[in-house]
Amino acid sequence: MQSHLPEGARTRTKAIHAGEEPDPTTRASAPNIVMSTTFSVDEPRGFSALDQEADSGFFYTRWGNPTVRQLEMKLAALEGAEDCRAYASGMAAISALMLNRLSAGDRLVMSDVAYPGTTELAYHTLPRLGIEVTPVDMSDLGQVEAALQRPAKLVWVESPANPIMRLTDIAAVAELAHGAGAEIAVDSTFATPVATRPLELGADYVVHSLTKYIGGHGDALGGAVLSDRARLEQLQLEATVHFGGVISPFNAWLIMRGAATLPVRMAAHEAGALAVAEALEEHPKVRRVLYPGLASHPQHDLARRQMANFSGMIAFQVDDGPAVAERMMKQLQVIHYAVSLGHHRSLIYWLGTNDLIASSFHLEGEAEERYRSYAGDGVFRLSVGLEDPEDIIEDLDRVL
Ligand SMILES: *Cc1c(COP(=O)(O)O)cnc(C)c1O
């Protein structure tokens, strides 16, 4: 199971080989899928997960599975992490980490703009458990510093943040968090380890929705938490074994196959997105384009420092977005009008500001003004796929 890559193997090589090796019995080159839920025992072993040693082999798939383990090792190699735990979805990973780290009386300082599932979990569920949540604009270090004047257990960053592509200076926020005695977790789904490796910038945890770029083909849900071994051991018993949101070995196998091509796909996503973003910026019907790779992005300098790849996500504003959205639903021929992102197929969706603020973000006053300064009355979130960029641009031209 241990991979034997040469020391110093590079990203594309690691994406393909890390976590895998030819099957020792059959010499099969591609990984097997081990769907077994249980594993036969050949010496006395206790029944409770509390009785298990970390290295005592596979026992029951909710605790660990050979195929899932292969995926975890590949992801750890890509992220430069000591270890990884995979979950059934991005939200399963996020809720596992938050509920494992936070207890009644603790405080979470989190980005006020993030994936709606994350903000809804934080605002609707955590307070019920006695956990205080303080939303801040993570792109404003003054706000982060002010929020950390009072004790906090965990700081939650998402960069680039859904859906407005607002970035967080991860190294700077990690320093502030650690100075205040808090841990910092970064949802790096939009960036992927090809663009940014938050652990190297000082983060304690990285989370991914594997459903997006890492799986890359829109056919398997998954999530992951990456960190050092000691932190992930804290997660293992409670968040993996007892919360139980583990990934199916079949999904792990599909995502592992996707992850093998992540670096080459990200290069193509970035090239395609840059071409589409530039075309949109020139388009008379487009009011504003937000893409970290464009000089017009308000944090383009930070993007250049922190992102080795600008990824494939674009947000843009037009006049009368809802009417354009209706045309898109009926007339797009290449891009699918659908939620989600990071797939080989291009996807687009309208995210109206009033709806999102009411349902998920609950922004008021200055925070709402800041959000509107990026999003206006709403944005189209476009996940640029791997089709020829000219065909994506022509498809958009048809409906704008
Ligand atoms: C999609 C997404 C999630 C949730 O992942 P699922 O796999 O859908 O549960 C979390 N964070 C970000 C940034 C996402 O894009």
Side-chain angles (χ1 to χ4, degrees), residues 144-145 148 152-155 170-186 198-205 227-228 231:
V144 179
E145 201 169 2
L148 288 170
K153 185 77 182 289
L154 184 64
V155 174
I170 295 168
V173 171
E175 203 174 309
L176 291 173
H178 292 152
E183 290 187 314
I184 162 174
V186 177
L199 298 175
E200 289 171 7
L201 299 173
D204 300 301
Y205 303 92
S227 184
D228 54 64
R231 283 192 166 91

Side-chain angles (χ1 to χ4, degrees), residues 89-91 94 115 118 158 187 189-190 209 211-212 221-222 341:
S89 65
M91 284 312 300
I94 290 166
Y115 182 72
T118 310
E158 185 176 304
D187 183 336
T189 299
F190 276 38
S209 167
T211 316
K212 314 295 170 52
L221 292 177
L341 57 106

Side-chain angles (χ1 to χ4, degrees), residues 29-83:
S29 165
N32 300 316
I33 311 180
V34 179
M35 289 300 288
S36 190
T37 58
T38 192
F39 296 83
S40 74
V41 169
D42 59 3
E43 54 185 49
R45 249 179 112 154
F47 186 70
S48 164
L50 292 169
D51 297 331
Q52 306 307 314
E53 310 277 323
D55 54 359
S56 53
F58 297 106
F59 187 67
Y60 185 56
T61 278
R62 178 155 39 76
W63 305 0
N65 168 280
T67 305
V68 173
R69 196 68 198 130
Q70 287 186 301
L71 170 67
E72 290 170 343
M73 287 169 59
K74 190 184 288 296
L75 297 178
L78 282 172
E79 196 68 61
E82 264 181 27
D83 210 344

Side-chain angles (χ1 to χ4, degrees), residues 266-289:
M266 289 311 292
H269 279 299
E270 180 191 49
L274 192 59
V276 173
E278 282 170 351
L280 285 172
E281 213 164 40
E282 295 295 306
H283 200 289
K285 296 283 180 58
V286 173
R287 264 198 253 149
R288 178 157 189 209
V289 183

